[in-house]
Amino acid sequence: MARTRLTPERESELYAAVLDLLREVGYDALTMDAVAARTRSSKATLYRQWGSKPELVVTAMRHNKPVSLSDVDTGSLRGDFHAVLGRSDDCQMEKDSALMRGLSHAVHENPDLLQALRELLIEPEMTGLDLLLRRAVDRGEVRPDNPALKYLPHMLIGAFAARQMVEDRPVDQAFLSDYVDSVILPALGA
């Protein structure tokens, strides 16, 4: 796809506007017209740059991520998890959780959104998580045959989804840090 060159600043502004709109109106009500108006862009430019609403939304979410899991290597699994958590603050975690809750409903009605989420956000994160876990296995912190390894993504997503439903409280660093130490690391035998 041929892309015109946007400055990094302009691209960041545009992504922030997309995420703000997404939080305000939800995925279904978010339109390329609204994004164009909010960002003083043309709809044609948006389609030329990103091709579709799902791709634009997921790319904005990807851009907003503070760290890629594959970039973290502290020398220990516990250190890696806590380093990842330390790169986001409670306010950002709450915003991210709200976005994910909103999108979890939308993916059921929008197969294009689910496809974009898998390709642009989930698969790269899974690759990074696999690398982080492979290093822990190589260091001897986790047995390679540990059955919990394949459920780690489910445990992590569950922590985000369940906190709001069970306790009616947002996910924050203290909760996730305790969750890593109390649930994830023991499940992995680390």
Side-chain angles (χ1 to χ4, degrees), residues 3 17 26 35 47 52 55 74 94 99 109 125-126 135-136 140:
R3 293 179 185 237
V35 172
Y47 279 108
S52 68
E55 198 169 322
T74 65
E94 189 170 349
L99 275 180
E109 307 294 321
E125 287 302 301
M126 293 297 291
R135 285 194 299 254

Side-chain angles (χ1 to χ4, degrees), residues 39-75:
T39 61
R40 300 169 319 282
S41 306
S42 76
K43 209 162 74 164
T45 299
L46 296 175
Y47 279 108
R48 191 170 44 253
Q49 285 285 121
W50 290 279
S52 68
K53 175 172 111 172
E55 198 169 322
L56 173 58
V57 166
V58 176
T59 303
M61 292 175 67
R62 180 89 193 140
H63 178 79
N64 195 47
K65 282 197 54 46
V67 64
S68 170
L69 291 176
S70 60
D71 295 340
V72 175
D73 186 1
T74 65

Side-chain angles (χ1 to χ4, degrees), residues 164-177:
Q164 191 72 45
M165 289 190 319
V166 173
E167 299 178 42
D168 195 25
R169 294 176 59 197
V171 171
D172 57 24
Q173 282 188 314
F175 171 79
L176 286 178
S177 181

